[in-house]
Coordinates of all heavy atoms in Angstrom, one line a residue:
K1 N 14.0 11.7 -0.7 CA 13.8 10.5 0.0 C 12.6 10.7 0.9 O 12.3 11.7 1.6 CB 15.0 10.2 0.8 CG 15.1 8.9 1.5 CD 16.3 8.7 2.1 CE 16.3 7.3 2.8 NZ 17.7 6.9 3.3
H2 N 11.8 9.6 0.9 CA 10.5 9.6 1.7 C 10.8 9.1 3.1 O 11.6 8.3 3.3 CB 9.4 8.7 1.0 CG 9.2 9.2 -0.4 ND1 8.6 10.4 -0.7 CD2 9.5 8.6 -1.6 CE1 8.5 10.6 -2.0 NE2 9.0 9.5 -2.6
P3 N 9.9 9.5 4.1 CA 10.1 9.0 5.4 C 9.9 7.4 5.4 O 8.9 7.0 4.8 CB 9.0 9.7 6.2 CG 8.1 10.2 5.2 CD 8.8 10.4 3.9
A4 N 10.6 6.8 6.3 CA 10.4 5.4 6.4 C 9.5 5.0 7.3 O 9.4 5.6 8.5 CB 11.8 4.7 6.7
P5 N 8.5 4.1 7.1 CA 7.6 3.4 8.1 C 8.5 3.0 9.3 O 9.5 2.5 9.1 CB 6.9 2.5 7.4 CG 6.9 2.8 6.0 CD 8.3 3.4 5.8
S6 N 7.8 3.1 10.5 CA 8.5 2.8 11.7 C 8.6 1.2 11.9 O 9.3 0.7 12.7 CB 8.0 3.3 13.0 OG 6.5 2.9 13.0
H7 N 7.9 0.4 11.1 CA 8.1 -1.0 11.2 C 7.9 -1.5 9.8 O 7.4 -1.0 8.9 CB 7.1 -1.6 12.2 CG 5.8 -2.0 11.8 ND1 4.7 -1.2 12.0 CD2 5.3 -3.0 10.9 CE1 3.6 -1.8 11.4 NE2 4.0 -2.8 10.8
S8 N 8.5 -2.8 9.6 CA 8.6 -3.4 8.3 C 7.3 -4.2 8.0 O 6.6 -4.5 8.9 CB 9.8 -4.2 8.1 OG 9.8 -5.2 9.0
G9 N 7.2 -4.8 6.8 CA 6.2 -5.7 6.5 C 5.0 -5.2 5.9 O 3.8 -5.7 6.1
V10 N 4.9 -3.9 5.3 CA 3.8 -3.4 4.7 C 3.3 -4.4 3.7 O 4.1 -4.9 3.0 CB 4.1 -2.0 4.1 CG1 3.0 -1.5 3.3 CG2 4.4 -1.0 5.1
C11 N 2.0 -4.6 3.5 CA 1.5 -5.5 2.6 C 0.4 -4.8 1.7 O -0.4 -4.0 2.3 CB 0.7 -6.6 3.4 SG -0.1 -7.8 2.3
A12 N 0.6 -4.8 0.4 CA -0.4 -4.3 -0.6 C -1.1 -5.3 -1.3 O -0.4 -6.2 -1.8 CB 0.3 -3.3 -1.5
R13 N -2.4 -5.3 -1.4 CA -3.2 -6.3 -2.1 C -4.5 -5.8 -2.6 O -4.9 -4.7 -2.1 CB -3.3 -7.5 -1.2 CG -4.2 -7.2 0.0 CD -4.4 -8.5 0.8 NE -5.2 -8.2 1.9 CZ -4.9 -8.1 3.2 NH1 -3.6 -8.2 3.5 NH2 -5.8 -7.8 4.2
P14 N -5.2 -6.4 -3.4 CA -6.6 -6.0 -3.8 C -7.4 -6.1 -2.6 O -7.1 -6.7 -1.6 CB -7.0 -6.9 -4.8 CG -5.8 -7.4 -5.4 CD -4.7 -7.5 -4.3
P15 N -8.4 -5.2 -2.4 CA -9.3 -5.2 -1.3 C -9.9 -6.6 -1.0 O -10.1 -7.4 -1.9 CB -10.4 -4.2 -1.6 CG -9.9 -3.4 -2.7 CD -8.9 -4.2 -3.5
P16 N -10.1 -6.9 0.3 CA -10.7 -8.2 0.6 C -12.0 -8.4 -0.1 O -12.9 -7.5 0.1 CB -10.9 -8.1 2.1 CG -10.3 -6.8 2.6 CD -10.0 -6.0 1.4
A17 N -12.2 -9.5 -0.7 CA -13.4 -10.0 -1.3 C -13.1 -11.3 -1.9 O -13.2 -11.6 -3.1 CB -13.9 -9.0 -2.4
G18 N -12.7 -12.2 -1.1 CA -12.3 -13.6 -1.5 C -10.9 -13.6 -2.2 O -10.7 -14.6 -2.8
T19 N -10.1 -12.5 -2.0 CA -8.8 -12.6 -2.6 C -7.8 -13.1 -1.5 O -8.0 -13.0 -0.3 CB -8.3 -11.1 -3.1 OG1 -8.3 -10.3 -2.0 CG2 -9.4 -10.7 -4.1
R20 N -6.7 -13.5 -2.0 CA -5.7 -14.0 -1.1 C -4.6 -12.8 -0.9 O -4.4 -12.1 -1.8 CB -5.0 -15.2 -1.7 CG -5.8 -16.4 -1.8 CD -5.1 -17.6 -2.3 NE -3.8 -17.3 -3.1 CZ -3.1 -18.2 -3.6 NH1 -3.4 -19.4 -3.6 NH2 -2.0 -17.8 -4.3
N21 N -4.0 -12.9 0.2 CA -3.0 -11.9 0.6 C -1.8 -12.1 -0.4 O -1.4 -13.2 -0.8 CB -2.5 -12.2 2.0 CG -1.5 -11.3 2.4 OD1 -0.5 -10.9 1.8 ND2 -1.6 -10.9 3.7
I22 N -1.3 -11.0 -0.9 CA -0.2 -11.1 -2.0 C 1.1 -11.8 -1.4 O 1.8 -12.3 -2.1 CB 0.2 -9.8 -2.6 CG1 0.7 -8.8 -1.7 CG2 -1.1 -9.3 -3.4 CD1 1.4 -7.7 -2.3
M23 N 1.1 -11.5 -0.1 CA 2.4 -12.2 0.6 C 2.3 -13.7 0.6 O 3.3 -14.3 0.7 CB 2.6 -11.6 2.0 CG 2.6 -10.1 2.0 SD 3.9 -9.4 0.9 CE 5.2 -9.2 2.0
D24 N 1.1 -14.2 0.3 CA 0.9 -15.7 0.2 C 1.0 -16.1 -1.3 O 0.7 -17.3 -1.6 CB -0.5 -16.1 0.8 CG -0.6 -15.9 2.2 OD1 0.5 -15.8 2.9 OD2 -1.7 -15.7 2.7
G25 N 1.3 -15.2 -2.2 CA 1.6 -15.5 -3.5 C 0.4 -15.4 -4.5 O 0.5 -15.8 -5.6
G26 N -0.7 -14.7 -4.2 CA -1.7 -14.6 -5.1 C -2.5 -13.3 -5.0 O -2.7 -12.8 -3.9
H27 N -3.1 -12.9 -6.1 CA -4.0 -11.7 -6.1 C -4.9 -11.7 -7.3 O -4.5 -12.1 -8.3 CB -3.2 -10.4 -5.8 CG -2.4 -10.0 -7.0 ND1 -1.1 -10.5 -7.1 CD2 -2.6 -9.2 -8.0 CE1 -0.6 -10.0 -8.2 NE2 -1.5 -9.2 -8.7
V28 N -6.0 -11.0 -7.2 CA -6.9 -10.9 -8.3 C -6.5 -9.4 -8.8 O -6.6 -8.5 -8.1 CB -8.3 -10.9 -7.9 CG1 -9.2 -10.6 -9.1 CG2 -8.6 -12.3 -7.4
P29 N -6.2 -9.3 -10.2 CA -5.9 -8.0 -10.7 C -7.0 -6.9 -10.4 O -8.2 -7.2 -10.6 CB -5.8 -8.1 -12.1 CG -5.4 -9.6 -12.3 CD -6.1 -10.3 -11.3
S30 N -6.6 -5.8 -10.0 CA -7.6 -4.6 -9.7 C -6.8 -3.3 -9.7 O -5.5 -3.4 -9.4 CB -8.2 -4.8 -8.3 OG -8.9 -3.7 -7.9
D31 N -7.5 -2.3 -10.0 CA -6.7 -1.0 -9.8 C -6.8 -0.4 -8.4 O -6.2 0.5 -8.1 CB -7.3 0.0 -10.9 CG -8.8 0.4 -10.6 OD1 -9.5 -0.3 -9.7 OD2 -9.3 1.3 -11.2
N32 N -7.6 -1.1 -7.5 CA -7.7 -0.7 -6.1 C -6.9 -1.6 -5.3 O -7.0 -2.8 -5.4 CB -9.2 -0.7 -5.8 CG -9.6 0.1 -4.7 OD1 -9.0 1.2 -4.4 ND2 -10.7 -0.1 -4.1
L33 N -6.1 -1.1 -4.4 CA -5.2 -1.9 -3.4 C -5.6 -1.6 -2.0 O -6.0 -0.4 -1.7 CB -3.8 -1.6 -3.7 CG -3.2 -1.9 -5.0 CD1 -1.6 -1.6 -4.9 CD2 -3.4 -3.4 -5.4
Y34 N -5.6 -2.6 -1.2 CA -5.7 -2.5 0.2 C -4.4 -2.6 0.9 O -3.7 -3.8 0.7 CB -6.7 -3.6 0.7 CG -7.0 -3.6 2.1 CD1 -7.5 -2.5 2.7 CD2 -6.8 -4.8 2.9 CE1 -7.8 -2.5 4.1 CE2 -7.1 -4.8 4.3 CZ -7.5 -3.7 4.8 OH -7.9 -3.7 6.2
V35 N -3.9 -1.7 1.5 CA -2.5 -1.6 2.1 C -2.7 -1.9 3.6 O -3.3 -1.1 4.2 CB -1.7 -0.4 1.7 CG1 -0.3 -0.4 2.3 CG2 -1.7 -0.1 0.2
T36 N -2.0 -2.8 4.2 CA -2.0 -3.1 5.6 C -0.6 -3.0 6.2 O 0.3 -2.9 5.6 CB -2.6 -4.4 5.9 OG1 -1.9 -5.5 5.2 CG2 -4.0 -4.6 5.3
R37 N -0.7 -3.1 7.6 CA 0.5 -3.1 8.4 C 1.3 -1.8 8.3 O 2.5 -1.8 8.3 CB 1.4 -4.3 8.1 CG 0.7 -5.6 8.4 CD 1.7 -6.7 8.3 NE 1.1 -7.7 7.3 CZ 1.7 -8.6 6.7 NH1 3.0 -8.6 6.8 NH2 1.1 -9.4 5.9
L38 N 0.5 -0.7 8.2 CA 1.2 0.6 8.1 C 1.3 1.2 9.6 O 0.5 0.9 10.4 CB 0.3 1.6 7.4 CG 0.1 1.3 5.8 CD1 -1.0 2.2 5.3 CD2 1.5 1.6 5.1
P39 N 2.4 1.9 9.9 CA 2.6 2.5 11.2 C 1.5 3.6 11.4 O 1.2 4.3 10.5 CB 4.0 3.0 11.2 CG 4.3 3.3 9.9 CD 3.5 2.2 9.0
S40 N 0.9 3.7 12.5 CA -0.1 4.6 12.8 C 0.4 6.1 12.8 O -0.4 7.0 12.6 CB -0.8 4.4 14.2 OG 0.2 4.4 15.2
S41 N 1.7 6.3 12.9 CA 2.3 7.5 12.8 C 2.4 8.1 11.4 O 2.7 9.3 11.3 CB 3.8 7.5 13.4 OG 4.6 6.6 12.6
L42 N 2.1 7.3 10.4 CA 2.2 7.7 9.1 C 1.0 8.7 8.8 O -0.1 8.3 9.0 CB 2.1 6.5 8.1 CG 2.4 6.7 6.7 CD1 3.9 7.0 6.5 CD2 2.1 5.5 5.8
T43 N 1.2 9.9 8.1 CA 0.2 10.8 7.9 C -0.3 10.5 6.5 O 0.2 9.8 5.6 CB 0.7 12.2 7.9 OG1 1.6 12.4 6.8 CG2 1.3 12.6 9.3
Q44 N -1.5 11.1 6.2 CA -2.1 10.9 4.9 C -1.1 11.5 3.8 O -0.9 10.9 2.7 CB -3.4 11.7 4.8 CG -4.2 11.7 3.5 CD -4.9 10.4 3.1 OE1 -5.3 9.8 4.0 NE2 -5.1 10.2 1.9
D45 N -0.5 12.7 4.1 CA 0.4 13.2 3.1 C 1.7 12.4 2.9 O 2.1 12.2 1.8 CB 0.9 14.7 3.7 CG -0.1 15.7 3.5 OD1 -1.1 15.4 2.8 OD2 0.0 16.7 4.2
D46 N 2.3 11.7 4.0 CA 3.3 10.8 3.9 C 2.9 9.6 3.0 O 3.7 9.3 2.1 CB 3.8 10.3 5.2 CG 4.4 11.4 6.1 OD1 5.0 12.4 5.5 OD2 4.5 11.2 7.3
F47 N 1.7 9.1 3.2 CA 1.3 7.9 2.5 C 1.2 8.3 1.1 O 1.6 7.5 0.2 CB -0.1 7.4 3.1 CG -0.5 6.1 2.4 CD1 0.0 5.0 2.7 CD2 -1.5 6.3 1.3 CE1 -0.4 3.9 1.9 CE2 -1.9 5.2 0.5 CZ -1.3 3.9 1.0
Q48 N 0.5 9.4 0.7 CA 0.3 9.8 -0.7 C 1.6 10.0 -1.4 O 1.8 9.7 -2.5 CB -0.4 11.2 -0.8 CG -2.0 10.9 -0.4 CD -2.7 12.3 -0.5 OE1 -2.6 13.0 0.2 NE2 -3.6 12.3 -1.6
Q49 N 2.6 10.5 -0.6 CA 3.9 10.8 -1.2 C 4.7 9.5 -1.5 O 5.2 9.3 -2.7 CB 4.8 11.7 -0.3 CG 6.0 12.3 -0.8 CD 6.6 13.3 0.2 OE1 6.6 13.0 1.4 NE2 7.1 14.4 -0.4
I50 N 4.7 8.6 -0.6 CA 5.3 7.3 -0.7 C 4.7 6.5 -1.8 O 5.3 6.0 -2.8 CB 5.3 6.5 0.5 CG1 6.2 7.3 1.6 CG2 5.9 5.1 0.3 CD1 6.1 6.9 3.0
F51 N 3.3 6.2 -1.7 CA 2.7 5.3 -2.6 C 2.4 6.0 -4.0 O 2.3 5.4 -5.0 CB 1.5 4.7 -2.0 CG 1.7 3.5 -1.2 CD1 2.3 3.7 0.1 CD2 1.6 2.2 -1.6 CE1 2.6 2.6 0.9 CE2 1.9 1.1 -1.0 CZ 2.4 1.3 0.4
G52 N 2.3 7.3 -4.0 CA 2.3 8.1 -5.2 C 3.5 8.0 -6.0 O 3.5 8.0 -7.3
S53 N 4.6 7.7 -5.4 CA 6.0 7.6 -6.1 C 6.1 6.3 -6.8 O 6.9 6.1 -7.6 CB 7.1 7.9 -5.2 OG 7.3 6.9 -4.3
L54 N 5.2 5.3 -6.3 CA 5.3 3.9 -6.9 C 4.5 3.8 -8.1 O 4.7 2.8 -9.0 CB 4.9 2.9 -5.9 CG 5.6 2.9 -4.4 CD1 4.9 2.0 -3.6 CD2 7.0 2.7 -4.8
G55 N 3.6 4.7 -8.4 CA 2.7 4.5 -9.6 C 1.7 5.7 -9.7 O 1.6 6.5 -8.7
D56 N 1.0 5.8 -10.7 CA 0.1 7.0 -11.0 C -1.2 6.7 -10.2 O -2.1 6.0 -10.6 CB -0.3 7.0 -12.5 CG -1.0 8.2 -12.9 OD1 -1.3 9.1 -12.0 OD2 -1.5 8.3 -14.1
M57 N -1.2 7.3 -9.1 CA -2.3 7.2 -8.0 C -3.5 8.1 -8.4 O -3.3 9.3 -8.7 CB -1.8 7.5 -6.6 CG -2.8 7.4 -5.5 SD -2.2 8.0 -3.9 CE -0.9 7.0 -3.6
V58 N -4.6 7.6 -8.3 CA -5.8 8.4 -8.5 C -6.4 9.1 -7.3 O -6.7 10.2 -7.1 CB -6.9 7.6 -9.2 CG1 -8.3 8.4 -9.3 CG2 -6.5 7.0 -10.5
R59 N -6.5 8.2 -6.2 CA -6.8 8.6 -4.9 C -6.5 7.6 -3.9 O -6.2 6.4 -4.2 CB -8.3 9.0 -4.8 CG -9.2 7.7 -4.9 CD -10.7 8.2 -4.8 NE -11.5 7.1 -5.2 CZ -12.2 7.0 -6.4 NH1 -12.0 8.0 -7.2 NH2 -12.9 5.9 -6.7
C60 N -6.5 8.1 -2.6 CA -6.1 7.2 -1.5 C -6.8 7.6 -0.2 O -7.3 8.7 0.0 CB -4.6 6.9 -1.3 SG -3.9 8.4 -0.5
R61 N -7.0 6.6 0.7 CA -7.6 7.0 2.1 C -6.9 6.2 3.0 O -6.9 4.9 3.0 CB -9.1 6.7 2.0 CG -9.7 7.1 3.3 CD -11.2 7.0 3.2 NE -11.6 5.6 2.8 CZ -12.6 5.0 3.5 NH1 -13.3 5.5 4.5 NH2 -12.8 3.7 3.2
L62 N -6.3 6.8 4.1 CA -5.6 6.2 5.2 C -6.7 5.9 6.3 O -7.6 6.7 6.6 CB -4.6 7.1 5.8 CG -3.5 6.6 6.7 CD1 -2.8 5.5 5.9 CD2 -2.6 7.6 7.0
I63 N -6.6 4.7 6.7 CA -7.7 4.2 7.6 C -7.1 3.8 9.0 O -6.2 2.8 9.0 CB -8.5 3.1 7.1 CG1 -9.1 3.4 5.7 CG2 -9.6 2.5 8.0 CD1 -9.4 2.2 4.9
P64 N -7.4 4.4 10.1 CA -6.8 4.0 11.4 C -7.3 2.5 11.8 O -8.5 2.2 11.4 CB -7.3 4.9 12.4 CG -8.0 6.0 11.7 CD -8.3 5.5 10.3
H65 N -6.5 1.8 12.4 CA -6.9 0.4 12.7 C -7.7 0.4 14.1 O -7.1 0.9 15.1 CB -5.6 -0.5 12.8 CG -5.9 -2.0 12.8 ND1 -6.4 -2.6 13.8 CD2 -5.6 -2.8 11.8 CE1 -6.5 -3.9 13.5 NE2 -6.0 -4.1 12.3
K66 N -8.8 -0.1 14.1 CA -9.7 0.0 15.3 C -9.1 -0.8 16.5 O -9.1 -0.4 17.6 CB -11.1 -0.4 14.9 CG -11.8 0.6 14.1 CD -13.2 0.2 13.8 CE -13.9 1.2 12.9 NZ -15.2 0.8 12.4
S67 N -8.6 -2.1 16.2 CA -8.3 -3.0 17.2 C -6.8 -2.8 17.6 O -6.4 -3.4 18.6 CB -8.7 -4.4 16.9 OG -7.9 -4.8 15.7
N68 N -6.1 -2.2 16.8 CA -4.6 -2.0 17.1 C -4.2 -0.6 16.8 O -4.0 -0.2 15.6 CB -3.8 -3.0 16.2 CG -2.3 -3.0 16.6 OD1 -1.8 -2.1 17.3 ND2 -1.5 -3.8 16.0
P69 N -4.1 0.2 17.7 CA -3.8 1.7 17.6 C -2.4 1.9 17.1 O -2.1 3.0 16.7 CB -4.0 2.3 19.0 CG -4.0 1.2 19.9 CD -4.4 -0.1 19.2
E70 N -1.6 0.8 17.0 CA -0.1 1.0 16.5 C -0.1 0.9 15.0 O 0.9 1.1 14.3 CB 0.7 -0.1 17.1 CG 0.7 -0.1 18.6 CD 1.8 0.6 19.2 OE1 2.9 0.6 18.6 OE2 1.7 1.1 20.3
E71 N -1.2 0.4 14.4 CA -1.2 0.2 12.9 C -2.3 0.9 12.2 O -3.3 1.3 12.8 CB -1.4 -1.3 12.6 CG -0.3 -2.2 12.9 CD -0.4 -3.7 12.4 OE1 -1.3 -3.9 11.8 OE2 0.5 -4.4 12.7
A72 N -2.1 1.1 10.9 CA -3.1 1.6 10.0 C -3.3 0.9 8.7 O -2.3 0.0 8.5 CB -2.8 3.2 9.7
S73 N -4.3 1.2 8.0 CA -4.5 0.5 6.7 C -4.8 1.6 5.6 O -5.0 2.8 6.1 CB -5.6 -0.4 6.7 OG -5.3 -1.5 7.5
A74 N -4.8 1.3 4.4 CA -5.3 2.3 3.4 C -5.8 1.7 2.2 O -5.5 0.5 1.9 CB -4.0 3.2 3.0
L75 N -6.7 2.4 1.5 CA -7.3 2.0 0.3 C -6.6 3.0 -0.8 O -6.6 4.2 -0.6 CB -8.7 2.1 0.2 CG -9.5 1.1 1.0 CD1 -11.0 1.5 1.2 CD2 -9.2 -0.4 0.5
V76 N -6.1 2.4 -1.9 CA -5.4 3.2 -2.9 C -6.0 2.8 -4.3 O -6.1 1.6 -4.6 CB -3.9 2.9 -2.9 CG1 -3.2 3.9 -3.9 CG2 -3.4 3.0 -1.5
R77 N -6.3 3.8 -5.0 CA -6.8 3.5 -6.4 C -5.7 4.0 -7.3 O -5.2 5.2 -7.2 CB -8.1 4.1 -6.8 CG -8.4 4.0 -8.2 CD -9.8 3.8 -8.5 NE -10.4 2.6 -8.0 CZ -11.7 2.4 -7.6 NH1 -12.5 3.4 -7.8 NH2 -12.0 1.2 -7.2
Y78 N -5.2 3.2 -8.3 CA -4.2 3.6 -9.3 C -4.9 3.7 -10.7 O -6.0 3.3 -10.8 CB -3.1 2.6 -9.4 CG -2.3 2.7 -8.1 CD1 -2.3 1.8 -7.0 CD2 -1.1 3.6 -8.2 CE1 -1.4 2.0 -6.0 CE2 -0.4 3.8 -7.0 CZ -0.4 2.9 -6.0 OH 0.3 3.1 -4.9
R79 N -4.2 4.3 -11.6 CA -4.8 4.6 -12.9 C -5.2 3.4 -13.6 O -6.2 3.4 -14.4 CB -3.6 5.2 -13.7 CG -4.0 5.6 -15.2 CD -2.9 6.2 -15.9 NE -1.5 5.7 -15.7 CZ -1.1 4.6 -16.4 NH1 -1.9 3.9 -17.2 NH2 0.2 4.2 -16.1
S80 N -4.6 2.2 -13.4 CA -4.9 1.0 -14.1 C -4.6 -0.2 -13.3 O -3.8 -0.2 -12.3 CB -4.2 0.9 -15.4 OG -2.9 0.8 -15.2
T81 N -5.1 -1.3 -13.7 CA -4.8 -2.7 -13.0 C -3.3 -2.9 -13.2 O -2.6 -3.5 -12.3 CB -5.6 -3.8 -13.5 OG1 -5.4 -3.9 -14.9 CG2 -7.1 -3.6 -13.1
E82 N -2.7 -2.5 -14.4 CA -1.2 -2.8 -14.6 C -0.4 -2.0 -13.7 O 0.6 -2.5 -13.1 CB -0.9 -2.4 -16.1 CG -1.7 -3.2 -17.1 CD -3.1 -2.9 -17.5 OE1 -3.5 -1.8 -17.1 OE2 -3.8 -3.8 -18.0
V83 N -0.9 -0.7 -13.4 CA 0.0 0.1 -12.5 C -0.1 -0.5 -11.1 O 0.8 -0.7 -10.4 CB -0.4 1.6 -12.5 CG1 0.1 2.4 -11.3 CG2 -0.2 2.2 -13.8
A84 N -1.3 -0.8 -10.7 CA -1.6 -1.5 -9.3 C -0.8 -2.8 -9.2 O -0.2 -3.0 -8.1 CB -3.1 -1.7 -9.1
S85 N -0.8 -3.6 -10.2 CA 0.0 -4.9 -10.2 C 1.4 -4.7 -10.0 O 2.2 -5.3 -9.3 CB -0.2 -5.7 -11.5 OG -1.6 -6.2 -11.4
K86 N 1.9 -3.6 -10.6 CA 3.4 -3.2 -10.5 C 3.7 -2.7 -9.2 O 4.8 -3.1 -8.6 CB 3.7 -2.1 -11.6 CG 5.2 -1.8 -11.8 CD 5.8 -3.0 -12.4 CE 7.2 -2.7 -12.9 NZ 7.9 -3.8 -13.3
V87 N 2.7 -2.0 -8.5 CA 3.0 -1.5 -7.2 C 3.1 -2.8 -6.2 O 3.9 -2.9 -5.3 CB 1.8 -0.5 -6.8 CG1 2.0 -0.3 -5.2 CG2 2.0 0.7 -7.5
I88 N 2.2 -3.8 -6.4 CA 2.3 -5.0 -5.7 C 3.6 -5.7 -5.8 O 4.2 -6.1 -4.9 CB 1.1 -6.0 -6.1 CG1 -0.2 -5.4 -5.6 CG2 1.3 -7.3 -5.5 CD1 -1.5 -6.1 -6.1
E89 N 4.1 -5.8 -7.0 CA 5.4 -6.3 -7.3 C 6.5 -5.6 -6.6 O 7.4 -6.2 -6.0 CB 5.7 -6.4 -8.8 CG 4.9 -7.4 -9.6 CD 5.2 -7.2 -11.1 OE1 6.1 -6.7 -11.5 OE2 4.3 -7.8 -11.9
L90 N 6.5 -4.3 -6.6 CA 7.5 -3.4 -5.9 C 7.4 -3.7 -4.4 O 8.4 -3.8 -3.7 CB 7.3 -2.0 -6.1 CG 7.6 -1.5 -7.6 CD1 7.0 -0.1 -7.9 CD2 9.1 -1.5 -7.8
V91 N 6.2 -3.8 -3.8 CA 6.1 -4.0 -2.4 C 6.6 -5.4 -2.1 O 7.3 -5.6 -1.0 CB 4.5 -3.9 -2.0 CG1 4.4 -4.3 -0.5 CG2 4.1 -2.4 -2.1
E92 N 6.3 -6.4 -2.8 CA 6.7 -7.7 -2.6 C 8.3 -7.8 -2.8 O 9.0 -8.4 -1.9 CB 6.2 -8.7 -3.6 CG 4.7 -9.1 -3.4 CD 4.1 -10.0 -4.4 OE1 4.7 -9.9 -5.6 OE2 3.3 -10.8 -4.0
S93 N 8.9 -7.0 -3.7 CA 10.2 -7.2 -4.0 C 11.1 -6.5 -2.9 O 12.3 -7.0 -2.8 CB 10.7 -6.5 -5.3 OG 10.5 -5.1 -5.3
C94 N 10.5 -5.7 -2.1 CA 11.3 -5.0 -1.0 C 10.9 -5.5 0.3 O 11.2 -5.0 1.3 CB 11.3 -3.6 -1.1 SG 9.7 -2.9 -0.9
G95 N 10.1 -6.7 0.3 CA 9.6 -7.3 1.6 C 8.8 -6.4 2.4 O 8.8 -6.5 3.6
G96 N 8.1 -5.4 1.8 CA 7.2 -4.6 2.5 C 7.9 -3.5 3.2 O 7.2 -2.6 3.9
N97 N 9.1 -3.2 2.9 CA 9.9 -2.1 3.5 C 9.8 -0.8 2.6 O 10.8 -0.5 2.1 CB 11.4 -2.4 3.8 CG 11.4 -3.5 4.9 OD1 10.8 -3.4 5.9 ND2 12.2 -4.6 4.6
I98 N 8.6 -0.4 2.5 CA 8.3 0.9 1.5 C 8.9 2.1 2.2 O 8.7 2.3 3.4 CB 6.9 0.9 1.2 CG1 6.3 -0.4 0.6 CG2 6.6 2.1 0.3 CD1 7.0 -0.7 -0.8
G99 N 9.6 3.0 1.4 CA 10.0 4.2 1.9 C 11.4 4.3 2.6 O 11.8 5.3 3.1
S100 N 12.0 3.1 2.5 CA 13.3 3.0 3.2 C 14.5 3.2 2.3 O 15.6 3.1 2.7 CB 13.5 1.7 3.9 OG 13.3 0.6 3.0
G101 N 14.2 3.6 1.0 CA 15.3 3.8 0.1 C 14.7 4.8 -1.0 O 13.7 5.4 -0.8
P102 N 15.6 4.9 -2.0 CA 15.1 5.8 -3.1 C 13.9 5.3 -3.8 O 13.6 4.1 -3.8 CB 16.4 5.8 -4.0 CG 17.2 4.6 -3.7 CD 16.8 4.2 -2.2
A103 N 13.2 6.3 -4.3 CA 11.9 5.9 -5.1 C 12.3 5.1 -6.3 O 13.4 5.4 -6.9 CB 11.2 7.2 -5.4
P104 N 11.5 4.1 -6.6 CA 11.8 3.3 -7.9 C 11.6 4.2 -9.1 O 10.9 5.2 -9.0 CB 10.8 2.2 -7.8 CG 9.7 2.7 -6.8 CD 10.3 3.7 -6.0
P105 N 12.3 3.8 -10.3 CA 12.2 4.6 -11.4 C 10.8 4.6 -12.0 O 9.9 3.8 -11.7 CB 13.1 3.8 -12.4 CG 13.3 2.5 -11.8 CD 13.0 2.6 -10.4

C-alpha cells in the first residue's frame, strides 16, 4: 500500500499548452502528464512509487509550488499516450484520491 497524499483532489492532465483540465472533461492525448494539487510533503520516491504503479513510467519530476508552499506539481512521462490516457482515467475515477487504496491492476 502506498502512502496517501494528505489532501484530496490530485489532478493529472497533459502539460499546459492550450489544453483543458481533465477535471473539466477534456484533454489532448500525450504521453506526458502534468500532475497538480499534490501535497508538498510528498517525496520524489513516494510520487514515483504511486504514479509508477498506475502505468509504465519512463520518468518524472516533482516540482515545488512557488506561490503555495503547501502544494507541489509533477511532470510524468509514460511509455505511450495510451498508458498516460489510462492514468488520467484512473485519476478521474477515484476523484483525485490517488494512493488511498490498493494499486490498480
